[in-house]
Amino acid sequence: GAGVSQSPSNKVTEKGKDVELRCDPISGHTALYWYRQSLGQGLEFLIYFQGNSAPDKSGLPSDRFSAERTGGSVSTLTIQRTQQEDSAVYLCASSLSRPQGEQFFGPGTRLTVL
Amino acid sequence: ILNVEQSPQSLHVQEGDSTNFTCSFPSSNFYALHWYRWETAKSPEALFVMTLNGDEKKKGRISATLNTKEGYSYLYIKGSQPEDSATYLCAFTDTGNQFYFGTGTSLTVIP
């Protein structure tokens, strides 16, 4: 079956612009996570959705970052007024259950803010 | 902020050599320890999930052990092959909601 997909694969934007990153999880996976990896850093947790529960937004680095998950499936991560420090690879993962559940990662979106 | 540390940061070994890496994590509020392999230009993929102190997992030439009391896990690769070249990530989950990833160990196997 299809894995986790993300779009776009690459995004170059100018400082101050808004960007939207999309994640299509594996069908039936109730948990969805967003992470980012900045150059030379580990994977940084951003936000977690589990079913219809309120998302855990504790990892979002600033109020310029927001995410939503529509119909318990597709998720969109929005970054407003992008800054150069937002440049990173943004990864989405989904799983059946957590925290023991194996996470299946998408290919990531490489965001470059000029 | 929870610190998950991995060592070494990078490693070069000859084909056929055996090797191991370390993941250190907080020993309190432990729930699970995950190992992932992340090959260049691909997505991270899960290797093991371990939950019990003393757990040992094996998949082919790769195995892992877990010590929750002292807060470490070892990943072993026996007879390294070039296709094992990747970054190996560990992630700790506590009784809260987050995964805490280490920065990874980058393995290069030289043919």
Side-chain angles (χ1 to χ4, degrees):
Chain A
V4 178
S5 62
Q6 292 185 245
S7 61
S9 55
N10 278 286
K11 177 72 177 179
V12 180
T13 191
E14 293 179 348
K15 178 181 172 180
K17 301 282 190 183
D18 297 352
V19 294
E20 280 191 356
L21 312 181
R22 178 187 168 106
C23 171
D24 281 273
I26 293 173
S27 177
H29 279 193
T30 55
L32 186 148
Y33 311 77
W34 282 98
Y35 299 91
R36 72 176 176 181
Q37 185 181 39
S38 303
L39 192 63
Q41 304 297 311
L43 278 178
E44 176 188 4
F45 166 82
L46 296 177
I47 190 169
Y48 158 63
F49 296 89
Q50 173 61 55
N52 295 322
S53 302
D56 177 352
K57 304 179 182 179
S58 58
L60 294 178
S62 80
D63 58 9
R64 296 185 295 104
F65 287 72
S66 63
E68 61 178 24
R69 188 178 185 191
T70 53
S73 181
V74 172
S75 178
T76 303
L77 177 70
T78 302
I79 309 173
Q80 295 178 309
R81 305 180 302 282
T82 52
Q83 303 294 310
Q84 287 182 330
E85 61 263 28
D86 299 335
S87 297
V89 175
Y90 289 81
L91 285 167
C92 172
S94 70
S95 71
L96 279 171
S97 63
R98 71 159 318 282
Q100 290 177 276
E102 172 187 350
Q103 292 192 8
F104 293 82
F105 283 84
T109 293
R110 182 174 296 278
L111 174 66
T112 303
V113 182
L114 301 177
Chain B
I1 298 177
L2 292 176
N3 278 329
V4 177
E5 297 184 354
Q6 292 188 245
S7 63
Q9 196 169 24
S10 66
L11 194 55
H12 290 71
V13 300
Q14 291 291 137
E15 181 176 355
D17 286 352
S18 295
T19 187
N20 64 85
F21 334 127
T22 305
C23 173
S24 301
F25 53 87
S27 55
S28 58
N29 299 323
F30 175 86
Y31 197 98
L33 193 285
H34 304 244
W35 280 100
Y36 288 83
R37 175 168 59 200
W38 193 357
E39 296 180 64
T40 302
K42 295 186 178 179
S43 309
E45 61 179 45
L47 288 173
F48 306 114
V49 180
M50 294 182 287
T51 57
L52 299 175
N53 185 43
D55 253 357
E56 290 189 28
K57 300 275 186 176
K58 187 173 181 181
K59 185 183 290 188
R61 294 178 291 98
I62 305 176
S63 60
T65 61
L66 178 67
N67 184 322
T68 60
K69 293 182 179 178
E70 296 183 36
Y72 65 83
S73 175
Y74 293 136
L75 186 79
Y76 300 91
I77 302 179
K78 185 177 178 182
S80 303
Q81 299 296 308
E83 58 265 29
D84 296 329
S85 297
T87 295
Y88 291 82
L89 295 170
C90 71
F92 162 84
T93 53
D94 60 12
T95 50
N97 284 332
Q98 295 187 19
F99 276 69
Y100 299 92
F101 280 86
T103 53
T105 292
S106 175
L107 173 67
T108 303
V109 181
I110 303 164

XYZ file of all heavy atoms in Angstrom, chain A residues 26-65:
321
model
N -0.542 7.379 6.151
C -1.039 6.073 5.730
C -2.499 5.941 6.169
O -2.841 6.283 7.318
C -0.177 4.946 6.322
C 1.224 5.001 5.698
C -0.813 3.586 6.101
C 2.222 4.055 6.323
N -3.332 5.444 5.273
C -4.755 5.321 5.559
C -4.976 4.467 6.805
O -4.402 3.377 6.938
C -5.467 4.671 4.363
O -6.835 4.483 4.636
N -5.799 4.987 7.713
C -6.107 4.241 8.930
C -5.206 4.554 10.105
O -5.497 4.164 11.245
N -4.104 5.276 9.858
C -3.223 5.655 10.967
C -3.847 6.826 11.713
O -4.123 7.871 11.148
C -1.840 6.029 10.445
C -0.967 4.859 10.154
N 0.390 4.970 9.917
C -1.249 3.544 10.090
C 0.890 3.767 9.708
N -0.086 2.884 9.793
N -4.017 6.622 13.016
C -4.696 7.655 13.797
C -3.731 8.714 14.329
O -4.132 9.814 14.663
C -5.420 7.018 14.990
O -4.478 6.250 15.760
C -6.537 6.086 14.518
N -2.467 8.367 14.425
C -1.484 9.307 14.978
C -0.666 9.921 13.845
O -0.261 9.225 12.904
C -0.568 8.601 15.969
N -0.417 11.214 13.943
C 0.372 11.925 12.932
C 1.282 12.917 13.646
O 0.848 13.622 14.566
C -0.546 12.659 11.954
C 0.110 13.336 10.745
C -0.831 13.303 9.543
C 0.542 14.749 11.044
N 2.542 12.940 13.207
C 3.559 13.771 13.837
C 4.243 14.636 12.788
O 4.437 14.212 11.656
C 4.663 12.915 14.476
C 4.194 11.798 15.361
C 3.695 10.622 14.821
C 4.290 11.899 16.742
C 3.277 9.576 15.634
C 3.890 10.860 17.564
C 3.385 9.707 16.999
O 2.982 8.680 17.810
N 4.634 15.810 13.202
C 5.515 16.650 12.400
C 6.819 16.847 13.169
O 6.806 17.109 14.387
C 4.895 18.024 12.131
C 3.851 18.055 11.073
C 2.496 18.025 11.240
C 4.070 18.171 9.655
N 1.863 18.103 10.025
C 2.800 18.203 9.038
C 5.210 18.268 8.858
C 2.650 18.309 7.659
C 5.048 18.367 7.498
C 3.779 18.393 6.905
N 7.929 16.734 12.421
C 9.251 16.979 12.969
C 9.997 17.888 11.992
O 9.616 18.024 10.824
C 10.076 15.683 13.077
C 9.514 14.614 13.954
C 8.665 13.639 13.442
C 9.855 14.544 15.299
C 8.163 12.634 14.255
C 9.364 13.535 16.118
C 8.515 12.592 15.580
O 8.025 11.595 16.375
N 11.099 18.449 12.468
C 11.998 19.103 11.540
C 13.430 18.771 11.942
O 13.724 18.498 13.109
C 11.801 20.613 11.496
C 12.287 21.386 12.706
C 12.135 22.864 12.498
N 12.520 23.611 13.695
C 12.462 24.923 13.798
N 12.030 25.665 12.768
N 12.835 25.528 14.911
N 14.284 18.775 10.921
C 15.697 18.568 11.182
C 16.454 19.726 10.557
O 16.504 19.849 9.324
C 16.199 17.246 10.608
C 17.651 16.994 11.007
C 18.210 15.719 10.451
O 17.926 15.366 9.327
N 19.014 15.014 11.249
N 17.012 20.544 11.417
C 17.874 21.622 10.950
C 19.265 21.058 10.755
O 19.607 20.004 11.304
C 17.894 22.768 11.972
O 16.576 23.229 12.219
N 20.082 21.773 9.986
C 21.415 21.297 9.644
C 22.206 20.972 10.912
O 22.340 21.806 11.809
C 22.139 22.363 8.812
C 23.437 21.912 8.141
C 23.151 20.813 7.127
C 24.124 23.089 7.476
N 22.707 19.739 10.990
C 23.550 19.343 12.115
C 22.807 19.056 13.400
O 23.433 18.790 14.427
N 21.479 19.079 13.343
C 20.695 18.843 14.551
C 19.941 17.518 14.455
O 19.837 16.917 13.391
C 19.675 19.983 14.754
C 20.280 21.366 14.810
C 21.220 21.525 15.979
O 20.880 21.192 17.117
N 22.413 22.039 15.729
N 19.398 17.072 15.599
C 18.565 15.883 15.588
C 17.158 16.219 15.153
O 16.837 17.362 14.824
N 16.311 15.221 15.138
C 14.912 15.439 14.800
C 14.222 16.163 15.947
O 14.279 15.714 17.098
C 14.204 14.111 14.541
C 14.376 13.503 13.167
C 13.649 12.173 13.092
C 13.859 14.433 12.099
N 13.594 17.263 15.620
C 12.915 18.089 16.621
C 11.413 17.899 16.487
O 10.839 18.169 15.426
C 13.302 19.548 16.408
C 12.600 20.540 17.322
C 12.882 21.974 16.917
O 13.561 22.203 15.885
O 12.401 22.888 17.602
N 10.787 17.457 17.550
C 9.331 17.281 17.547
C 8.649 18.636 17.422
O 9.027 19.604 18.083
C 8.911 16.596 18.843
C 7.435 16.635 19.136
C 6.588 15.728 18.540
C 6.914 17.573 20.001
C 5.230 15.750 18.814
C 5.559 17.602 20.281
C 4.712 16.690 19.685
N 7.616 18.698 16.592
C 6.859 19.940 16.427
C 5.442 19.814 16.974
O 5.025 20.566 17.844
C 6.802 20.339 14.943
C 8.134 20.681 14.285
C 7.933 20.984 12.806
C 8.811 21.849 14.987
N 4.695 18.846 16.457
C 3.285 18.723 16.825
C 2.809 17.296 16.602
O 3.361 16.575 15.771
C 2.413 19.727 16.016
C 0.975 19.783 16.546
C 2.442 19.392 14.529
C 0.159 20.943 15.963
N 1.805 16.892 17.361
C 1.313 15.521 17.324
C -0.213 15.542 17.326
O -0.830 16.245 18.134
C 1.860 14.779 18.544
C 1.104 13.550 18.986
C 0.997 12.444 18.162
C 0.536 13.494 20.255
C 0.329 11.308 18.590
C -0.136 12.361 20.685
C -0.233 11.272 19.849
O -0.890 10.150 20.275
N -0.817 14.804 16.424
C -2.262 14.629 16.352
C -2.584 13.172 16.670
O -1.944 12.266 16.161
C -2.792 14.933 14.938
C -2.609 16.351 14.490
C -1.438 16.736 13.842
C -3.605 17.290 14.686
C -1.269 18.045 13.404
C -3.446 18.597 14.253
C -2.273 18.970 13.610
N -3.599 12.956 17.493
C -4.068 11.608 17.779
C -5.587 11.605 17.671
O -6.282 12.171 18.522
C -3.633 11.164 19.178
C -4.217 9.829 19.624
C -3.822 8.660 18.745
O -2.641 8.401 18.512
N -4.806 7.941 18.230
N -6.084 10.974 16.637
C -7.525 10.863 16.432
C -8.199 12.221 16.468
O -7.763 13.171 15.839
N -9.267 12.299 17.241
C -10.022 13.542 17.359
C -9.614 14.379 18.564
O -10.254 15.400 18.853
C -11.520 13.229 17.458
C -12.041 12.594 16.179
O -11.634 12.973 15.085
N -12.918 11.610 16.316
N -8.569 13.942 19.253
C -8.129 14.682 20.440
C -7.455 15.983 20.038
O -6.994 16.139 18.899
C -7.137 13.836 21.245
O -7.707 12.612 21.619
N -7.405 16.907 20.986
C -6.697 18.166 20.746
C -5.226 17.865 20.493
O -4.626 17.035 21.177
C -6.852 19.088 21.945
N -4.623 18.506 19.486
C -3.225 18.206 19.178
C -2.276 18.666 20.278
O -2.566 19.614 21.003
C -2.980 18.990 17.879
C -4.002 20.062 17.879
C -5.199 19.509 18.573
N -1.158 17.978 20.384
C -0.078 18.389 21.278
C 0.818 19.332 20.499
O 1.587 18.892 19.648
C 0.692 17.148 21.749
C 1.883 17.500 22.638
O 2.217 18.692 22.785
O 2.494 16.563 23.167
N 0.725 20.621 20.794
C 1.457 21.643 20.048
C 2.714 22.091 20.781
O 3.322 23.098 20.416
C 0.575 22.879 19.837
C -0.741 22.610 19.151
C -1.540 23.904 19.011
C -2.895 23.654 18.375
N -3.681 24.912 18.251
N 3.096 21.346 21.801
C 4.144 21.825 22.696
C 5.498 22.002 22.017
O 6.359 22.707 22.534
C 4.279 20.892 23.900
O 4.575 19.580 23.464
N 5.699 21.367 20.862
C 6.977 21.476 20.179
C 7.073 22.612 19.173
O 8.159 22.872 18.636
N 5.975 23.277 18.901
C 6.021 24.358 17.915
C 6.913 25.487 18.428
O 6.727 25.970 19.550
C 4.620 24.887 17.632
C 3.663 23.903 16.956
C 2.290 24.526 16.768
C 4.226 23.448 15.612
N 7.887 25.921 17.633
C 8.891 26.862 18.134
C 8.398 28.291 18.303
O 8.998 29.051 19.059
C 9.995 26.786 17.080
C 9.319 26.319 15.843
C 8.199 25.445 16.272
N 7.354 28.672 17.618
C 6.827 30.034 17.765
C 5.397 30.065 17.256
O 4.912 29.102 16.653
C 7.693 31.029 16.975
O 7.372 31.003 15.601
N 4.728 31.189 17.496
C 3.330 31.295 17.051
C 3.227 31.508 15.544
O 2.124 31.619 15.008
C 2.590 32.403 17.817
C 3.242 33.766 17.661
O 4.165 33.895 16.828
O 2.832 34.694 18.369
N 4.364 31.552 14.857
C 4.303 31.616 13.387
C 3.992 30.247 12.799
O 3.635 30.140 11.629
C 5.641 32.124 12.827
C 5.987 33.558 13.223
C 7.254 34.029 12.523
N 8.441 33.283 12.930
C 9.026 32.344 12.193
N 8.538 32.035 11.007
N 10.098 31.725 12.640
N 4.141 29.218 13.631
C 3.914 27.844 13.183
C 2.525 27.383 13.625
O 2.124 27.595 14.781
C 4.941 26.892 13.804
C 6.319 27.014 13.226
C 7.112 28.115 13.499
C 6.833 26.005 12.416
C 8.385 28.223 12.958
C 8.110 26.103 11.885
C 8.889 27.205 12.152
